[in-house]
């Protein structure tokens, strides 16, 4: 006996909502952003207009149907008459069936083993997934954006003609012809206007277009810098550049889903298309730019993360550390780091699962110096090579807030006025306190490979420096702990907490792994410090003297606090070979006008400017400006405009700011006691 032939012809609905086709698809091998693994479709038989809902669990199908029913019946002022589905358990549940009976909806199921009877829904799923694969293969977005691609696909299908209906689904559903003028290429780049910017900041940022929001007239954009998706209407799309430059990565998409990698090489400019199918097996290689890549500077801890001026004599590799004159100190520092890993139970040695590629790790070394420039401690940090992680596979969210510099200054001014205590603590191994939700495997650290277990790898149970999610995991862990101890988080500054009992007040400020405690009672501050030491491996630094590379000079008698960056200025002068320069009277020369036309005029000037660290110099000045030197704000704002293609005149202006800082290196930002009355200054135009 054989199956009878199946006829695709059947009675069509004569109006909208007369028959609704539905099906659930999933689970997907990779979760969409937001933790979604399934999606459910609803397709109107008469118009072929479709809805898609993302779901975390298959059991959410009933809730999605109720949301769909409420919306469409209200919009069309009609009622759903028939719901056609397969025999999936989500549709057969007693609750779902009773709801259909109560609302007078006829439930139709396809016969067992006959998916053709639910062909409209099955074909819709295939069409949507084909579109999703295509859109992701022509974008640089990770696979976890399949949810946004899916919503974009259904949006497009509703607006374009279909051979199943005489008009577009949108026109049959709403009675209005759809406009296609606003449609954009999924995954293309766009310049998006920022909501709020400082004077010297760029007014736009380059983002990636990822879809059309349902609730708002605008577009969805993904910001690679903030790792967030947001809605905006103010954008300039770079579709022409996108189509001219991009090479599809269809094969790469497949390899990312299976965990394999493809060697990145330069693509051939004009590949020859062969009619021989046996010659079409070569993977499409992504095009790479010819930009010269340099090794980034890595920093450890809080002070170094801001004072981005590493000493040239610090070892860069494990081999260099072992050959260094201070190899004995480096060995001791590495041993201390490994002991911290074991004490915190950061990893366990396991066999590498099949199909998984472990991430690497490396040692980072730093001589920590005191205010006098002498080496106080040798620090070795084991850092994971997190740049090999893939979003949506072994990490999701990476954002972690840090205290703003202006918040720290405000609290220091309050401390000066009220004569509060200012204590400082450091978390020795902050990132090792964060828990991991993902399964991450790492190679054993160089120099500390367990004997007889060379082939094993480290399965990380806790976060480690270098992981994409390390900072966020630590921040979540710390936030939960301090709130449990009675601290209240500031709603406008997430890294500032306060704790009030009667007339006793404590402020806690977190900046990555540095902690400032400000309060009016020594006993309460001591109890907080003791509690922190029990929760985390802490180092008590006593009264605050150095914060983020800023020296704190306090006069308790006169109730003043002065903030100085003299040592930072000395370092940047030395870094840019300006330590022996003349002293400048003003940060910007009078009568000098800079413009974008002052670009290099000949080959000699171009060669000279290639060797000039213009952007690095402006960045170093900007940190001084943000911390304690508002007097150079105007000058830095001017020179920062020309970072895309600076000329010799622009570099001369930057050096003039350095000369001014040399003369005024001892200038300080001083907060004096008195009433806490804010005083503001502003400029004005005509």
């Amino acid at each position: 006996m054989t199956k009878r032939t199946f006829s695709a012809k059947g009675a069509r609905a004569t109006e909208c909502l007369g028959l609704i086709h539905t099906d659930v698809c999933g689970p997907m091998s990779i979760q969409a952003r937001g933790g979604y693994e399934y999606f459910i479709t609803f397709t109107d038989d008469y118009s072929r207009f479709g809805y898609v809902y993302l779901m975390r669990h298959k059991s959410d199908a009933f809730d999605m149907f109720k949301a769909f029913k409420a919306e469409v019946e209200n919009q069309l002022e009609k009622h759903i008459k028939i719901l056609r589905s397969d025999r999936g358990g989500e549709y057969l549940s007693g609750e779902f069936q009773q709801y259909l009976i109560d609302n007078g909806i006829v439930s139709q199921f396809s016969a067992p083993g006959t998916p053709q009877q639910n062909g409209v829904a099955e074909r819709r799923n295939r069409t949507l997934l084909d579109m999703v694969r295509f859109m992701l293969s022509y974008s640089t977005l990770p696979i976890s954006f399949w949810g946004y691609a899916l919503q974009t696909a259904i949006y497009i299908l509703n607006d374009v003609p279909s051979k199943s209906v005489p008009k577009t689904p949108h026109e049959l559903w709403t009675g209005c012809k759809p406009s296609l003028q606003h449609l954009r290429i999924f995954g293309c780049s766009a310049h998006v206007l920022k909501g709020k910017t400082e004077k010297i900041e760029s007014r736009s940022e380059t983002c990636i277009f990822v879809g059309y929001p349902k609730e708002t007239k605008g577009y969805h954009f993904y910001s690679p810098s903030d790792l967030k998706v947001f809605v905006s209407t103010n954008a300039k799309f770079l579709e022409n550049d996108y189509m001219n430059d991009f090479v599809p990565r269809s094969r790469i998409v497949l390899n990312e889903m299976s965990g394999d990698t493809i060697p990145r090489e330069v693509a051939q400019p004009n590949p020859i298309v062969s009619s021989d199918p046996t010659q079409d097996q070569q993977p499409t290689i992504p095009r790479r730019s010819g930009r010269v890549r340099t090794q980034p500077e890595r920093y450890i801890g809080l002070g170094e993360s801001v004072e981005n001026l590493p000493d040239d004599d610090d070892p860069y590799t494990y081999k260099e550390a072992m050959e260094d004159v201070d190899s004995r100190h480096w060995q001791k520092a590495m041993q201390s780091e490994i002991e911290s890993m074991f004490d915190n139970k950061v990893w366990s040695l396991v066999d590498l699962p099949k199909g998984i590629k472990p991430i690497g790790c490396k040692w980072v070394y730093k001589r920590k110096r005191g205010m006098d420039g002498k080496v106080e401690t040798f620090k070795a940090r084991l850092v994971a090579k997190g740049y090999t992680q893939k979003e949506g596979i072994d990490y999701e969210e990476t954002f972690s807030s840090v205290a703003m510099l202006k918040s720290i200054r405000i609290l220091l001014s309050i401390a000066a006025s009220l004569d509060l205590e200012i204590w400082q603590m450091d978390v020795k191994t902050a990132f090792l306190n964060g828990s991991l939700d993902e399964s991450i495997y790492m190679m054993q650290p160089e120099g500390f490979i367990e004997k007889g277990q060379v082939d094993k790898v480290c399965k990380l149970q806790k976060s480690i420096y270098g992981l994409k999610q390390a900072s966020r995991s630590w921040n979540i862990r710390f936030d939960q702990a301090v709130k449990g101890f009675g601290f209240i988080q500031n709603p406008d500054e997430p890294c500032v907490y306060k704790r009030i009992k009667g007339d006793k007040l404590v402020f806690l400020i977190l900046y990555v792994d540095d902690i400032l405690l400000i309060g009016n009672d020594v006993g309460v501050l001591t109890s907080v410090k003791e509690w922190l030491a029990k929760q985390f491996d802490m180092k008590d630094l006593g009264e605050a003297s150095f914060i983020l590379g800023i020296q704190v000079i306090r006069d308790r008698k006169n109730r003043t606090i002065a903030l100085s960056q003299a040592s930072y200025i000395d370092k940047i002068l030395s870094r840019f070979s300006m330590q022996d320069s003349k002293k400048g009277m003003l940060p910007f020369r009078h009568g000098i006008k800079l413009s974008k036309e002052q670009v290099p005029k000949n080959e000699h000037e171009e060669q000279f400017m290639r060797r000039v660290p213009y952007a690095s110099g402006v960045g170093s000045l900007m940190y001084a400006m943000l911390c304690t030197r508002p007097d150079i704000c105007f000058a830095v704002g001017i020179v920062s405009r020309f970072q895309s293609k600076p000329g010799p005149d622009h570099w001369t202006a930057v050096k003039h700011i350095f000369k001014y800082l040399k003369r005024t290196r001892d200038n300080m930002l001083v907060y004096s006691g008195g009433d806490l009355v804010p005083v503001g200054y502003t400029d004005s135009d005509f």
Side-chain angles (χ1 to χ4, degrees):
M1 188 174 180
T2 60
K3 289 184 177 181
R4 69 177 181 87
T5 58
F6 179 80
S7 175
K9 296 181 179 179
R12 290 284 299 273
T14 58
E15 61 175 348
C16 290
L17 302 187
L19 171 61
I20 299 296
H21 303 268
T22 180
D23 191 25
V24 173
C25 185
M28 303 299 177
S29 57
I30 297 175
Q31 287 187 348
R33 288 176 66 91
Y36 300 105
E37 295 185 359
Y38 300 84
F39 68 86
I40 186 172
T41 60
F42 298 101
T43 307
D44 178 63
D45 186 73
Y46 172 74
S47 65
R48 288 300 197 263
F49 194 89
Y51 278 72
V52 168
Y53 294 90
L54 297 173
M55 301 189 301
R56 293 184 175 87
H57 309 287
K58 201 172 185 179
S59 57
D60 295 338
F62 180 38
D63 292 332
M64 297 300 105
F65 174 72
K66 290 192 292 184
F68 166 74
K69 176 182 179 298
E71 178 179 341
V72 298
E73 290 186 348
N74 181 61
Q75 295 297 323
L76 300 182
E77 296 182 347
K78 297 179 179 181
H79 296 286
I80 298 174
K81 296 177 177 59
I82 301 174
L83 180 69
R84 182 176 296 172
S85 63
D86 58 15
R87 307 187 73 84
E90 61 275 13
Y91 298 108
L92 293 172
S93 70
E95 187 181 22
F96 204 142
Q97 288 301 304
Q98 187 60 46
Y99 182 80
L100 296 179
I101 294 172
D102 294 342
N103 288 272
I105 301 173
V106 177
S107 178
Q108 292 184 353
F109 296 108
S110 58
T114 315
Q116 300 94 326
Q117 292 182 349
N118 196 31
V120 174
E122 298 286 351
R123 169 57 68 176
R124 176 55 58 95
N125 286 353
R126 176 176 174 178
T127 302
L128 288 172
L129 289 177
D130 283 346
M131 294 178 70
V132 167
R133 292 188 188 98
F134 185 82
M135 287 189 286
L136 290 177
S137 71
Y138 267 89
S139 75
T140 58
L141 295 165
I143 309 300
S144 59
F145 274 80
W146 65 259
Y148 285 97
L150 183 72
Q151 298 285 9
T152 303
I154 193 66
Y155 185 88
I156 295 172
L157 283 179
N158 288 334
D159 284 358
V160 298
S162 169
K163 64 181 181 181
S164 302
V165 290
K167 300 178 181 180
T168 63
H170 185 277
E171 188 172 357
L172 291 174
W173 184 260
T174 64
C176 303
K177 289 185 178 181
S179 172
L180 305 181
Q181 295 181 353
H182 66 288
L183 295 185
R184 302 295 179 180
I185 300 175
F186 182 87
C188 73
S189 299
H191 292 312
V192 183
L193 182 68
K194 293 182 180 179
K196 206 172 184 179
T197 61
E198 300 290 340
K199 284 190 175 182
I200 59 175
E201 290 182 346
S202 171
R203 291 187 176 180
S204 69
E205 63 173 323
T206 303
C207 300
I208 302 175
F209 165 66
V210 294
Y212 311 88
K214 184 178 179 181
E215 305 84 2
T216 308
K217 186 177 180 180
Y219 299 96
H220 267 139
F221 294 99
Y222 172 66
S223 170
S225 59
D226 296 335
L227 303 179
K228 287 187 176 182
V229 175
F230 62 96
V231 176
S232 178
T233 58
N234 303 305
K236 180 180 180 181
F237 292 87
L238 309 178
E239 294 175 296
N240 292 333
D241 297 342
Y242 178 79
M243 293 305 297
N244 291 334
D245 295 343
F246 203 81
V247 178
R249 57 162 188 170
S250 305
R251 197 62 172 271
I252 297 177
V253 171
L254 298 177
N255 287 339
E256 284 186 357
M257 296 178 73
S258 62
D260 300 330
T261 56
I262 269 185
R264 293 175 174 258
E265 300 174 6
V266 180
Q268 298 298 323
N270 294 307
I272 300 174
V273 179
S274 172
S275 60
D276 185 357
T278 61
Q279 296 182 11
D280 287 336
Q281 304 301 317
Q282 294 297 324
T284 303
I285 306 301
R287 183 173 70 97
R288 298 193 73 183
S289 69
R291 179 173 62 88
V292 178
R293 287 166 172 77
T294 58
Q295 178 65 40
E297 296 171 343
R298 306 293 183 191
Y299 317 115
I300 312 171
L302 172 63
E304 293 80 11
S305 65
V306 182
E307 293 181 41
N308 48 1
L309 301 168
D311 297 323
D312 296 333
D313 55 351
D314 288 338
Y316 184 71
T317 64
Y318 175 81
K319 182 179 179 181
E320 289 180 9
M322 293 300 95
E323 296 174 353
D324 192 82
V325 293
D326 294 317
S327 59
R328 177 171 56 87
H329 296 289
W330 296 127
Q331 186 70 39
K332 185 177 179 181
M334 288 188 291
Q335 185 63 45
S336 175
E337 177 77 353
I338 290 294
E339 289 175 358
S340 296
M341 298 287 177
F342 286 121
D343 292 341
N344 287 277
K345 298 179 181 179
V346 175
W347 68 64
S348 59
L349 290 180
V350 299
D351 294 321
L352 182 65
K354 188 176 180 180
I356 299 295
K357 185 177 180 181
I359 63 175
C361 60
K362 66 168 293 183
W363 288 102
V364 180
Y365 305 94
K366 179 69 179 179
R367 291 179 172 90
K368 302 207 74 171
R369 304 176 183 273
M371 295 170 55
D372 55 0
K374 295 182 179 179
V375 178
E376 291 184 344
T377 57
F378 292 82
K379 198 165 188 177
R381 181 77 76 199
L382 183 64
V383 178
K385 296 181 179 179
Y387 53 82
T388 61
Q389 292 179 262
K390 297 177 181 178
E391 184 177 5
I393 297 178
D394 45 20
Y395 78 93
E396 278 290 344
E397 296 290 339
T398 61
F399 172 76
S400 177
S401 55
V402 294
M404 292 182 286
L405 287 167
K406 58 186 178 184
S407 302
I408 297 175
R409 288 200 302 264
I410 287 172
L411 288 171
L412 289 177
S413 68
I414 294 174
S417 177
L418 304 180
D419 194 28
L420 305 180
E421 301 292 332
I422 309 174
W423 293 357
Q424 191 173 11
M425 300 186 75
D426 175 70
V427 187
K428 292 182 179 179
T429 50
F431 287 7
L432 306 187
N433 291 280
S435 299
L436 286 177
D437 296 326
E438 303 83 6
S439 295
I440 302 179
Y441 299 88
M442 185 184 75
M443 302 291 289
Q444 294 190 53
E446 188 175 6
F448 293 87
I449 299 176
E450 292 288 339
K451 293 182 180 180
Q453 303 188 66
V454 179
D455 296 331
K456 291 186 179 293
V457 295
C458 305
K459 182 179 181 181
L460 299 179
Q461 267 102 34
K462 292 191 176 181
S463 182
I464 186 176
Y465 288 85
L467 290 182
K468 296 282 189 180
Q469 64 268 55
S471 180
R472 180 171 177 80
S473 298
W474 152 244
N475 191 273
I476 292 174
R477 167 77 175 87
F478 184 85
D479 180 75
Q480 293 172 345
V482 295
K483 286 181 179 177
F485 190 61
F487 277 93
I488 300 174
Q489 187 179 39
N490 188 299
D492 298 315
E493 174 58 286
C495 286
V496 174
Y497 303 83
K498 69 178 179 180
R499 185 168 177 257
I500 303 174
K501 282 192 174 182
D503 59 349
K504 297 176 181 178
L505 167 69
V506 178
F507 285 109
L508 187 152
I509 310 167
L510 176 69
Y511 196 104
V512 187
D513 56 357
D514 254 28
I515 296 174
L516 275 182
L517 295 174
I518 300 177
N520 59 356
D521 187 273
V522 173
V524 173
L525 286 173
T526 302
S527 65
V528 172
K529 187 165 62 174
E530 291 174 349
W531 175 83
L532 286 170
K534 292 179 181 179
Q535 300 296 315
F536 311 102
D537 188 8
M538 307 289 297
K539 183 179 180 181
D540 188 358
L541 302 178
E543 290 194 15
S545 59
F546 235 81
I547 305 172
L548 311 180
I550 305 169
Q551 185 180 3
V552 180
I553 304 172
R554 187 167 195 184
D555 184 348
R556 297 294 291 266
K557 182 179 180 181
N558 296 314
R559 291 197 178 185
T560 63
I561 293 179
L563 306 181
S564 170
Q565 284 185 288
S567 60
Y568 175 79
I569 292 172
D570 290 339
K571 287 183 179 181
I572 61 175
L573 289 173
S574 176
R575 178 181 181 183
F576 297 101
S577 302
M578 297 290 293
Q579 67 273 21
D580 298 324
S581 66
K582 296 180 180 178
K583 298 179 180 180
M585 294 302 296
L586 295 173
F588 203 79
R589 291 176 294 171
H590 180 69
I592 299 298
K593 292 186 178 180
L594 299 180
S595 67
K596 61 181 181 180
E597 283 74 27
Q598 295 170 312
V599 296
K601 299 296 191 298
N602 50 53
E603 182 65 24
H604 174 72
E605 289 186 355
E606 288 184 356
Q607 290 289 343
F608 170 74
M609 290 308 298
R610 286 195 190 103
R611 299 191 300 269
V612 168
Y614 189 88
S616 181
V618 173
S620 299
L621 292 171
M622 192 169 291
Y623 180 67
M625 174 198 76
L626 292 173
C627 291
T628 64
R629 300 302 300 265
D631 51 331
I632 63 172
C633 182
F634 173 78
V636 173
I638 293 294
V639 298
S640 65
R641 300 175 184 175
F642 310 102
Q643 295 189 63
S644 59
K645 194 170 184 181
D649 292 336
H650 303 137
W651 179 237
T652 300
V654 171
K655 292 194 293 183
H656 201 79
I657 304 175
F658 280 120
K659 293 178 181 179
Y660 170 76
L661 286 180
K662 183 181 179 182
R663 183 182 69 83
T664 60
R665 70 176 292 276
D666 295 321
N667 283 17
M668 303 178 193
L669 199 60
V670 181
Y671 296 101
S672 58
D675 295 332
L676 288 173
V677 179
V679 179
Y681 299 88
T682 181
D683 62 349
S684 59
D685 55 24
F686 291 105

